[in-house]
Amino acid sequence: MKIVVLGGLGSQGRAVLIDLARSPAVDEVICADANLAGWAQFAKTVDTKKITPVKMDASSPEALCHLFKQGVDVAIDLLPVSFMSNAFEAAIASGVPLVSTNYAHSLRHLHQQALDAGVTLVPECGLDPGIDLVLFGHGVRQFDEVKVLNSYCGGFPEKSACNNPLNYKVTWNWEMVLRSSMRNSLFIKDGQRLAIPAADQHKAENVGTILFPGLGELECIPNGDAAVYADLLGIAATIEETTRYALRWPGWSNFWRPLKQLGFLSDEALDFPCGQVSPLQFLTTLIGPQVQYEKTEKDIVVMQNVFEGIKDGKRKSLVSNLLIERDLESGLFAMNMGVGYPVSVVAQMIAKGEITKKGLLSPALDIPCETFFSELSKRGIKIDTEMKDLD
């Protein structure tokens, strides 16, 4: 099989390239990126005999179509969200399946076009969204009625690497970490839809905690639209509670709550003697360099999904736990692997004919979970689940 990786030299792209290069089923990989400056360094540490670097202009749908028509079996989109529509539209025009880690919210209108073209498109195939959604679909199928579906996920340093006031370091893009703190949330509580504005995200009444095996107490911060997945999974009629939270070490919200109230996450430019700078730009520039990992430090990724519902007339709960640690040998962060390996697995499943459905698909409904979890397990990503009676 021949696979093209768009944005292949980004932090998640490197994990995808490494995984594809290791796979016996993959014959050829095109690493397409706007900037190939990092290729030489990457090639020093990875067997790249299957991989060909190609400079790419993702702003041009025509250039993407030309790339896809080079005998490509599947494309993997790891581009910034501003280029997402170009990649998906080029996939439809070229008749090439495409898998992406980005959210699907702005892509719904492409479903019929993809159906008409006979093309498989699978967004939301990373960690969160991604692994969580496959777990959603699997978990829901274990119940006759689902009453509760709460999802928690986050990446942060192991305790020994917590040597700054935030107890946090960044594995992807510090500005995007800050921007994720300005995302509204939509939950369902007591059967009613509840909107939590981004401005209230870190207020004490909206922040909770969970206990995670081996780590202890973690802080939960509202983050994202949980209600949309209740609708997608067909459980909106029975669901009493569904939420999505970001996880951090305790103290995260206490740090950001006053700063958010004072406008430090604002995108509105202010006048300074040096020119116009927004508070967000200031924090990005000031804090970003101070929250980087050393080569010997590990990040960890934690995910927990909690289901409650009725099975055979009994109230039961199902809890799934996932923990990934950085691989110091390859240098890949836990976050890189958690995002990169799932999208690589799904792309290969499509190329092998294990996913044949056409249109805009969802990991929650359309990815064969047993094969998916088996492939992740081979890569060291293992999920522990426990079902128990609540009555």
PDB file of all heavy atoms in Angstrom, residues 104-140:
ATOM      1  N   ALA A 104     -14.907  16.924  13.110  1.00  0.00           N
ATOM      2  CA  ALA A 104     -15.728  16.804  11.902  1.00  0.00           C
ATOM      3  C   ALA A 104     -16.790  17.884  11.787  1.00  0.00           C
ATOM      4  O   ALA A 104     -17.510  17.924  10.795  1.00  0.00           O
ATOM      5  CB  ALA A 104     -16.409  15.435  11.887  1.00  0.00           C
ATOM      6  N   HIS A 105     -16.906  18.769  12.784  1.00  0.00           N
ATOM      7  CA  HIS A 105     -18.061  19.659  12.867  1.00  0.00           C
ATOM      8  C   HIS A 105     -18.297  20.458  11.580  1.00  0.00           C
ATOM      9  O   HIS A 105     -19.445  20.643  11.170  1.00  0.00           O
ATOM     10  CB  HIS A 105     -17.915  20.626  14.040  1.00  0.00           C
ATOM     11  CG  HIS A 105     -17.664  19.949  15.346  1.00  0.00           C
ATOM     12  ND1 HIS A 105     -18.216  18.728  15.681  1.00  0.00           N
ATOM     13  CD2 HIS A 105     -16.911  20.319  16.422  1.00  0.00           C
ATOM     14  CE1 HIS A 105     -17.827  18.382  16.888  1.00  0.00           C
ATOM     15  NE2 HIS A 105     -17.023  19.326  17.370  1.00  0.00           N
ATOM     16  N   SER A 106     -17.233  20.909  10.932  1.00  0.00           N
ATOM     17  CA  SER A 106     -17.403  21.760   9.751  1.00  0.00           C
ATOM     18  C   SER A 106     -17.411  20.965   8.446  1.00  0.00           C
ATOM     19  O   SER A 106     -17.377  21.561   7.362  1.00  0.00           O
ATOM     20  CB  SER A 106     -16.268  22.793   9.694  1.00  0.00           C
ATOM     21  OG  SER A 106     -15.011  22.140   9.547  1.00  0.00           O
ATOM     22  N   LEU A 107     -17.482  19.632   8.540  1.00  0.00           N
ATOM     23  CA  LEU A 107     -17.369  18.792   7.340  1.00  0.00           C
ATOM     24  C   LEU A 107     -18.651  18.052   6.984  1.00  0.00           C
ATOM     25  O   LEU A 107     -18.680  17.315   5.996  1.00  0.00           O
ATOM     26  CB  LEU A 107     -16.254  17.758   7.546  1.00  0.00           C
ATOM     27  CG  LEU A 107     -14.862  18.295   7.824  1.00  0.00           C
ATOM     28  CD1 LEU A 107     -13.941  17.152   8.238  1.00  0.00           C
ATOM     29  CD2 LEU A 107     -14.298  19.001   6.592  1.00  0.00           C
ATOM     30  N   ARG A 108     -19.719  18.211   7.765  1.00  0.00           N
ATOM     31  CA  ARG A 108     -20.931  17.419   7.562  1.00  0.00           C
ATOM     32  C   ARG A 108     -21.463  17.526   6.143  1.00  0.00           C
ATOM     33  O   ARG A 108     -21.995  16.554   5.596  1.00  0.00           O
ATOM     34  CB  ARG A 108     -22.027  17.858   8.539  1.00  0.00           C
ATOM     35  CG  ARG A 108     -21.608  17.914  10.018  1.00  0.00           C
ATOM     36  CD  ARG A 108     -21.341  16.556  10.590  1.00  0.00           C
ATOM     37  NE  ARG A 108     -21.043  16.645  12.032  1.00  0.00           N
ATOM     38  CZ  ARG A 108     -20.451  15.708  12.727  1.00  0.00           C
ATOM     39  NH1 ARG A 108     -20.079  14.589  12.129  1.00  0.00           N
ATOM     40  NH2 ARG A 108     -20.203  15.850  14.014  1.00  0.00           N
ATOM     41  N   HIS A 109     -21.302  18.711   5.544  1.00  0.00           N
ATOM     42  CA  HIS A 109     -21.864  18.929   4.208  1.00  0.00           C
ATOM     43  C   HIS A 109     -21.172  18.097   3.128  1.00  0.00           C
ATOM     44  O   HIS A 109     -21.677  17.996   2.003  1.00  0.00           O
ATOM     45  CB  HIS A 109     -21.759  20.416   3.844  1.00  0.00           C
ATOM     46  CG  HIS A 109     -20.348  20.904   3.682  1.00  0.00           C
ATOM     47  ND1 HIS A 109     -19.493  21.070   4.758  1.00  0.00           N
ATOM     48  CD2 HIS A 109     -19.631  21.245   2.576  1.00  0.00           C
ATOM     49  CE1 HIS A 109     -18.322  21.500   4.331  1.00  0.00           C
ATOM     50  NE2 HIS A 109     -18.370  21.602   3.019  1.00  0.00           N
ATOM     51  N   LEU A 110     -20.031  17.499   3.460  1.00  0.00           N
ATOM     52  CA  LEU A 110     -19.292  16.721   2.465  1.00  0.00           C
ATOM     53  C   LEU A 110     -19.739  15.264   2.386  1.00  0.00           C
ATOM     54  O   LEU A 110     -19.275  14.526   1.512  1.00  0.00           O
ATOM     55  CB  LEU A 110     -17.791  16.772   2.772  1.00  0.00           C
ATOM     56  CG  LEU A 110     -17.105  18.135   2.673  1.00  0.00           C
ATOM     57  CD1 LEU A 110     -15.637  18.014   3.051  1.00  0.00           C
ATOM     58  CD2 LEU A 110     -17.249  18.693   1.256  1.00  0.00           C
ATOM     59  N   HIS A 111     -20.628  14.860   3.280  1.00  0.00           N
ATOM     60  CA  HIS A 111     -21.009  13.441   3.316  1.00  0.00           C
ATOM     61  C   HIS A 111     -21.591  12.971   1.986  1.00  0.00           C
ATOM     62  O   HIS A 111     -21.163  11.944   1.435  1.00  0.00           O
ATOM     63  CB  HIS A 111     -22.014  13.194   4.441  1.00  0.00           C
ATOM     64  CG  HIS A 111     -22.545  11.791   4.484  1.00  0.00           C
ATOM     65  ND1 HIS A 111     -21.739  10.701   4.702  1.00  0.00           N
ATOM     66  CD2 HIS A 111     -23.809  11.301   4.291  1.00  0.00           C
ATOM     67  CE1 HIS A 111     -22.469   9.590   4.676  1.00  0.00           C
ATOM     68  NE2 HIS A 111     -23.723   9.934   4.423  1.00  0.00           N
ATOM     69  N   GLN A 112     -22.569  13.706   1.453  1.00  0.00           N
ATOM     70  CA  GLN A 112     -23.211  13.278   0.210  1.00  0.00           C
ATOM     71  C   GLN A 112     -22.237  13.308  -0.959  1.00  0.00           C
ATOM     72  O   GLN A 112     -22.254  12.419  -1.817  1.00  0.00           O
ATOM     73  CB  GLN A 112     -24.431  14.153  -0.091  1.00  0.00           C
ATOM     74  CG  GLN A 112     -25.294  13.608  -1.231  1.00  0.00           C
ATOM     75  CD  GLN A 112     -25.817  12.204  -0.962  1.00  0.00           C
ATOM     76  OE1 GLN A 112     -26.382  11.945   0.110  1.00  0.00           O
ATOM     77  NE2 GLN A 112     -25.633  11.297  -1.912  1.00  0.00           N
ATOM     78  N   GLN A 113     -21.374  14.336  -0.975  1.00  0.00           N
ATOM     79  CA  GLN A 113     -20.378  14.402  -2.051  1.00  0.00           C
ATOM     80  C   GLN A 113     -19.447  13.189  -2.007  1.00  0.00           C
ATOM     81  O   GLN A 113     -19.111  12.607  -3.039  1.00  0.00           O
ATOM     82  CB  GLN A 113     -19.553  15.677  -1.925  1.00  0.00           C
ATOM     83  CG  GLN A 113     -20.340  16.966  -2.147  1.00  0.00           C
ATOM     84  CD  GLN A 113     -19.445  18.187  -1.989  1.00  0.00           C
ATOM     85  OE1 GLN A 113     -18.299  18.206  -2.435  1.00  0.00           O
ATOM     86  NE2 GLN A 113     -19.958  19.214  -1.325  1.00  0.00           N
ATOM     87  N   ALA A 114     -19.049  12.806  -0.807  1.00  0.00           N
ATOM     88  CA  ALA A 114     -18.171  11.642  -0.669  1.00  0.00           C
ATOM     89  C   ALA A 114     -18.898  10.361  -1.067  1.00  0.00           C
ATOM     90  O   ALA A 114     -18.316   9.480  -1.720  1.00  0.00           O
ATOM     91  CB  ALA A 114     -17.662  11.543   0.768  1.00  0.00           C
ATOM     92  N   LEU A 115     -20.178  10.255  -0.691  1.00  0.00           N
ATOM     93  CA  LEU A 115     -20.974   9.097  -1.100  1.00  0.00           C
ATOM     94  C   LEU A 115     -21.053   9.008  -2.618  1.00  0.00           C
ATOM     95  O   LEU A 115     -20.848   7.934  -3.210  1.00  0.00           O
ATOM     96  CB  LEU A 115     -22.385   9.205  -0.526  1.00  0.00           C
ATOM     97  CG  LEU A 115     -22.651   8.630   0.865  1.00  0.00           C
ATOM     98  CD1 LEU A 115     -24.110   8.858   1.239  1.00  0.00           C
ATOM     99  CD2 LEU A 115     -22.320   7.154   0.919  1.00  0.00           C
ATOM    100  N   ASP A 116     -21.375  10.132  -3.244  1.00  0.00           N
ATOM    101  CA  ASP A 116     -21.518  10.157  -4.706  1.00  0.00           C
ATOM    102  C   ASP A 116     -20.214   9.783  -5.395  1.00  0.00           C
ATOM    103  O   ASP A 116     -20.217   9.150  -6.460  1.00  0.00           O
ATOM    104  CB  ASP A 116     -21.978  11.540  -5.173  1.00  0.00           C
ATOM    105  CG  ASP A 116     -23.383  11.892  -4.693  1.00  0.00           C
ATOM    106  OD1 ASP A 116     -24.124  10.963  -4.308  1.00  0.00           O
ATOM    107  OD2 ASP A 116     -23.736  13.081  -4.684  1.00  0.00           O
ATOM    108  N   ALA A 117     -19.090  10.179  -4.784  1.00  0.00           N
ATOM    109  CA  ALA A 117     -17.774   9.892  -5.376  1.00  0.00           C
ATOM    110  C   ALA A 117     -17.244   8.521  -4.980  1.00  0.00           C
ATOM    111  O   ALA A 117     -16.201   8.089  -5.490  1.00  0.00           O
ATOM    112  CB  ALA A 117     -16.775  10.979  -4.960  1.00  0.00           C
ATOM    113  N   GLY A 118     -17.955   7.839  -4.056  1.00  0.00           N
ATOM    114  CA  GLY A 118     -17.498   6.530  -3.604  1.00  0.00           C
ATOM    115  C   GLY A 118     -16.210   6.597  -2.796  1.00  0.00           C
ATOM    116  O   GLY A 118     -15.364   5.707  -2.894  1.00  0.00           O
ATOM    117  N   VAL A 119     -16.084   7.657  -1.981  1.00  0.00           N
ATOM    118  CA  VAL A 119     -14.852   7.898  -1.221  1.00  0.00           C
ATOM    119  C   VAL A 119     -15.125   7.770   0.274  1.00  0.00           C
ATOM    120  O   VAL A 119     -16.153   8.232   0.775  1.00  0.00           O
ATOM    121  CB  VAL A 119     -14.279   9.294  -1.538  1.00  0.00           C
ATOM    122  CG1 VAL A 119     -13.080   9.598  -0.648  1.00  0.00           C
ATOM    123  CG2 VAL A 119     -13.885   9.383  -2.997  1.00  0.00           C
ATOM    124  N   THR A 120     -14.182   7.163   0.981  1.00  0.00           N
ATOM    125  CA  THR A 120     -14.248   7.042   2.432  1.00  0.00           C
ATOM    126  C   THR A 120     -13.474   8.183   3.084  1.00  0.00           C
ATOM    127  O   THR A 120     -12.288   8.363   2.811  1.00  0.00           O
ATOM    128  CB  THR A 120     -13.647   5.700   2.892  1.00  0.00           C
ATOM    129  OG1 THR A 120     -14.387   4.627   2.297  1.00  0.00           O
ATOM    130  CG2 THR A 120     -13.688   5.575   4.410  1.00  0.00           C
ATOM    131  N   LEU A 121     -14.144   8.941   3.955  1.00  0.00           N
ATOM    132  CA  LEU A 121     -13.519  10.022   4.708  1.00  0.00           C
ATOM    133  C   LEU A 121     -13.744   9.760   6.193  1.00  0.00           C
ATOM    134  O   LEU A 121     -14.883   9.562   6.621  1.00  0.00           O
ATOM    135  CB  LEU A 121     -14.131  11.381   4.341  1.00  0.00           C
ATOM    136  CG  LEU A 121     -14.117  11.796   2.863  1.00  0.00           C
ATOM    137  CD1 LEU A 121     -14.849  13.125   2.692  1.00  0.00           C
ATOM    138  CD2 LEU A 121     -12.704  11.905   2.347  1.00  0.00           C
ATOM    139  N   VAL A 122     -12.676   9.743   6.982  1.00  0.00           N
ATOM    140  CA  VAL A 122     -12.816   9.479   8.418  1.00  0.00           C
ATOM    141  C   VAL A 122     -12.074  10.551   9.210  1.00  0.00           C
ATOM    142  O   VAL A 122     -10.874  10.435   9.465  1.00  0.00           O
ATOM    143  CB  VAL A 122     -12.288   8.082   8.802  1.00  0.00           C
ATOM    144  CG1 VAL A 122     -12.793   7.726  10.205  1.00  0.00           C
ATOM    145  CG2 VAL A 122     -12.699   7.029   7.801  1.00  0.00           C
ATOM    146  N   PRO A 123     -12.766  11.612   9.620  1.00  0.00           N
ATOM    147  CA  PRO A 123     -12.146  12.592  10.525  1.00  0.00           C
ATOM    148  C   PRO A 123     -12.173  12.071  11.956  1.00  0.00           C
ATOM    149  O   PRO A 123     -12.659  10.976  12.231  1.00  0.00           O
ATOM    150  CB  PRO A 123     -13.047  13.812  10.357  1.00  0.00           C
ATOM    151  CG  PRO A 123     -14.393  13.233  10.027  1.00  0.00           C
ATOM    152  CD  PRO A 123     -14.126  11.972   9.239  1.00  0.00           C
ATOM    153  N   GLU A 124     -11.619  12.848  12.887  1.00  0.00           N
ATOM    154  CA  GLU A 124     -11.670  12.563  14.321  1.00  0.00           C
ATOM    155  C   GLU A 124     -11.002  11.229  14.667  1.00  0.00           C
ATOM    156  O   GLU A 124     -11.479  10.475  15.509  1.00  0.00           O
ATOM    157  CB  GLU A 124     -13.121  12.595  14.822  1.00  0.00           C
ATOM    158  CG  GLU A 124     -13.806  13.934  14.552  1.00  0.00           C
ATOM    159  CD  GLU A 124     -15.188  14.052  15.167  1.00  0.00           C
ATOM    160  OE1 GLU A 124     -15.837  13.010  15.364  1.00  0.00           O
ATOM    161  OE2 GLU A 124     -15.612  15.187  15.449  1.00  0.00           O
ATOM    162  N   CYS A 125      -9.857  10.952  14.039  1.00  0.00           N
ATOM    163  CA  CYS A 125      -9.184   9.664  14.227  1.00  0.00           C
ATOM    164  C   CYS A 125      -7.866   9.800  14.973  1.00  0.00           C
ATOM    165  O   CYS A 125      -6.883   9.134  14.617  1.00  0.00           O
ATOM    166  CB  CYS A 125      -8.926   9.000  12.872  1.00  0.00           C
ATOM    167  SG  CYS A 125     -10.276   7.970  12.339  1.00  0.00           S
ATOM    168  N   GLY A 126      -7.819  10.639  15.988  1.00  0.00           N
ATOM    169  CA  GLY A 126      -6.610  10.758  16.790  1.00  0.00           C
ATOM    170  C   GLY A 126      -6.808  10.151  18.168  1.00  0.00           C
ATOM    171  O   GLY A 126      -7.221   9.006  18.306  1.00  0.00           O
ATOM    172  N   LEU A 127      -6.517  10.939  19.166  1.00  0.00           N
ATOM    173  CA  LEU A 127      -6.677  10.518  20.564  1.00  0.00           C
ATOM    174  C   LEU A 127      -8.023  10.962  21.100  1.00  0.00           C
ATOM    175  O   LEU A 127      -8.869  10.159  21.462  1.00  0.00           O
ATOM    176  CB  LEU A 127      -5.535  11.109  21.405  1.00  0.00           C
ATOM    177  CG  LEU A 127      -5.645  10.946  22.915  1.00  0.00           C
ATOM    178  CD1 LEU A 127      -5.386   9.496  23.316  1.00  0.00           C
ATOM    179  CD2 LEU A 127      -4.700  11.887  23.650  1.00  0.00           C
ATOM    180  N   ASP A 128      -8.226  12.264  21.118  1.00  0.00           N
ATOM    181  CA  ASP A 128      -9.444  12.889  21.637  1.00  0.00           C
ATOM    182  C   ASP A 128      -9.710  14.135  20.799  1.00  0.00           C
ATOM    183  O   ASP A 128      -9.144  15.189  21.086  1.00  0.00           O
ATOM    184  CB  ASP A 128      -9.245  13.244  23.115  1.00  0.00           C
ATOM    185  CG  ASP A 128     -10.381  14.066  23.700  1.00  0.00           C
ATOM    186  OD1 ASP A 128     -11.412  14.224  23.031  1.00  0.00           O
ATOM    187  OD2 ASP A 128     -10.212  14.572  24.829  1.00  0.00           O
ATOM    188  N   PRO A 129     -10.456  13.988  19.697  1.00  0.00           N
ATOM    189  CA  PRO A 129     -11.297  12.843  19.365  1.00  0.00           C
ATOM    190  C   PRO A 129     -10.540  11.742  18.632  1.00  0.00           C
ATOM    191  O   PRO A 129      -9.568  12.002  17.929  1.00  0.00           O
ATOM    192  CB  PRO A 129     -12.348  13.464  18.442  1.00  0.00           C
ATOM    193  CG  PRO A 129     -11.586  14.537  17.713  1.00  0.00           C
ATOM    194  CD  PRO A 129     -10.622  15.106  18.730  1.00  0.00           C
ATOM    195  N   GLY A 130     -11.011  10.528  18.815  1.00  0.00           N
ATOM    196  CA  GLY A 130     -10.426   9.384  18.127  1.00  0.00           C
ATOM    197  C   GLY A 130     -10.616   8.123  18.935  1.00  0.00           C
ATOM    198  O   GLY A 130     -11.664   7.476  18.873  1.00  0.00           O
ATOM    199  N   ILE A 131      -9.599   7.768  19.739  1.00  0.00           N
ATOM    200  CA  ILE A 131      -9.699   6.573  20.572  1.00  0.00           C
ATOM    201  C   ILE A 131     -10.950   6.643  21.445  1.00  0.00           C
ATOM    202  O   ILE A 131     -11.660   5.648  21.622  1.00  0.00           O
ATOM    203  CB  ILE A 131      -8.442   6.414  21.447  1.00  0.00           C
ATOM    204  CG1 ILE A 131      -7.200   6.156  20.575  1.00  0.00           C
ATOM    205  CG2 ILE A 131      -8.628   5.271  22.435  1.00  0.00           C
ATOM    206  CD1 ILE A 131      -5.899   6.085  21.354  1.00  0.00           C
ATOM    207  N   ASP A 132     -11.223   7.820  21.997  1.00  0.00           N
ATOM    208  CA  ASP A 132     -12.399   7.962  22.855  1.00  0.00           C
ATOM    209  C   ASP A 132     -13.683   7.616  22.116  1.00  0.00           C
ATOM    210  O   ASP A 132     -14.578   6.967  22.649  1.00  0.00           O
ATOM    211  CB  ASP A 132     -12.472   9.367  23.455  1.00  0.00           C
ATOM    212  CG  ASP A 132     -12.533  10.473  22.414  1.00  0.00           C
ATOM    213  OD1 ASP A 132     -12.149  10.242  21.251  1.00  0.00           O
ATOM    214  OD2 ASP A 132     -12.952  11.599  22.765  1.00  0.00           O
ATOM    215  N   LEU A 133     -13.776   8.020  20.844  1.00  0.00           N
ATOM    216  CA  LEU A 133     -15.012   7.794  20.088  1.00  0.00           C
ATOM    217  C   LEU A 133     -15.212   6.317  19.763  1.00  0.00           C
ATOM    218  O   LEU A 133     -16.341   5.813  19.797  1.00  0.00           O
ATOM    219  CB  LEU A 133     -15.006   8.617  18.806  1.00  0.00           C
ATOM    220  CG  LEU A 133     -14.864  10.138  18.981  1.00  0.00           C
ATOM    221  CD1 LEU A 133     -15.048  10.846  17.658  1.00  0.00           C
ATOM    222  CD2 LEU A 133     -15.847  10.665  20.013  1.00  0.00           C
ATOM    223  N   VAL A 134     -14.135   5.609  19.441  1.00  0.00           N
ATOM    224  CA  VAL A 134     -14.254   4.168  19.219  1.00  0.00           C
ATOM    225  C   VAL A 134     -14.704   3.491  20.518  1.00  0.00           C
ATOM    226  O   VAL A 134     -15.545   2.592  20.508  1.00  0.00           O
ATOM    227  CB  VAL A 134     -12.928   3.572  18.718  1.00  0.00           C
ATOM    228  CG1 VAL A 134     -13.103   2.081  18.424  1.00  0.00           C
ATOM    229  CG2 VAL A 134     -12.441   4.285  17.459  1.00  0.00           C
ATOM    230  N   LEU A 135     -14.157   3.966  21.637  1.00  0.00           N
ATOM    231  CA  LEU A 135     -14.591   3.446  22.936  1.00  0.00           C
ATOM    232  C   LEU A 135     -16.056   3.780  23.212  1.00  0.00           C
ATOM    233  O   LEU A 135     -16.782   2.968  23.796  1.00  0.00           O
ATOM    234  CB  LEU A 135     -13.714   4.016  24.051  1.00  0.00           C
ATOM    235  CG  LEU A 135     -12.331   3.395  24.190  1.00  0.00           C
ATOM    236  CD1 LEU A 135     -11.441   4.248  25.100  1.00  0.00           C
ATOM    237  CD2 LEU A 135     -12.423   1.977  24.739  1.00  0.00           C
ATOM    238  N   PHE A 136     -16.504   4.961  22.789  1.00  0.00           N
ATOM    239  CA  PHE A 136     -17.916   5.324  22.951  1.00  0.00           C
ATOM    240  C   PHE A 136     -18.801   4.294  22.255  1.00  0.00           C
ATOM    241  O   PHE A 136     -19.767   3.783  22.834  1.00  0.00           O
ATOM    242  CB  PHE A 136     -18.201   6.696  22.334  1.00  0.00           C
ATOM    243  CG  PHE A 136     -17.703   7.875  23.116  1.00  0.00           C
ATOM    244  CD1 PHE A 136     -16.954   7.722  24.269  1.00  0.00           C
ATOM    245  CD2 PHE A 136     -17.970   9.162  22.678  1.00  0.00           C
ATOM    246  CE1 PHE A 136     -16.486   8.820  24.972  1.00  0.00           C
ATOM    247  CE2 PHE A 136     -17.513  10.270  23.371  1.00  0.00           C
ATOM    248  CZ  PHE A 136     -16.771  10.099  24.517  1.00  0.00           C
ATOM    249  N   GLY A 137     -18.504   4.052  20.979  1.00  0.00           N
ATOM    250  CA  GLY A 137     -19.318   3.123  20.214  1.00  0.00           C
ATOM    251  C   GLY A 137     -19.334   1.737  20.826  1.00  0.00           C
ATOM    252  O   GLY A 137     -20.389   1.091  20.941  1.00  0.00           O
ATOM    253  N   HIS A 138     -18.144   1.278  21.252  1.00  0.00           N
ATOM    254  CA  HIS A 138     -18.043  -0.039  21.874  1.00  0.00           C
ATOM    255  C   HIS A 138     -18.798  -0.067  23.193  1.00  0.00           C
ATOM    256  O   HIS A 138     -19.539  -1.025  23.483  1.00  0.00           O
ATOM    257  CB  HIS A 138     -16.569  -0.392  22.108  1.00  0.00           C
ATOM    258  CG  HIS A 138     -16.363  -1.656  22.883  1.00  0.00           C
ATOM    259  ND1 HIS A 138     -16.610  -2.901  22.356  1.00  0.00           N
ATOM    260  CD2 HIS A 138     -15.957  -1.855  24.170  1.00  0.00           C
ATOM    261  CE1 HIS A 138     -16.356  -3.823  23.274  1.00  0.00           C
ATOM    262  NE2 HIS A 138     -15.957  -3.218  24.373  1.00  0.00           N
ATOM    263  N   GLY A 139     -18.620   0.971  24.017  1.00  0.00           N
ATOM    264  CA  GLY A 139     -19.258   1.003  25.323  1.00  0.00           C
ATOM    265  C   GLY A 139     -20.768   1.036  25.241  1.00  0.00           C
ATOM    266  O   GLY A 139     -21.462   0.324  25.979  1.00  0.00           O
ATOM    267  N   VAL A 140     -21.294   1.856  24.349  1.00  0.00           N
ATOM    268  CA  VAL A 140     -22.746   1.981  24.205  1.00  0.00           C
ATOM    269  C   VAL A 140     -23.369   0.637  23.829  1.00  0.00           C
ATOM    270  O   VAL A 140     -24.468   0.289  24.290  1.00  0.00           O
ATOM    271  CB  VAL A 140     -23.074   3.066  23.154  1.00  0.00           C
ATOM    272  CG1 VAL A 140     -24.518   2.954  22.679  1.00  0.00           C
ATOM    273  CG2 VAL A 140     -22.810   4.450  23.732  1.00  0.00           C
TER     274      VAL A 140
END
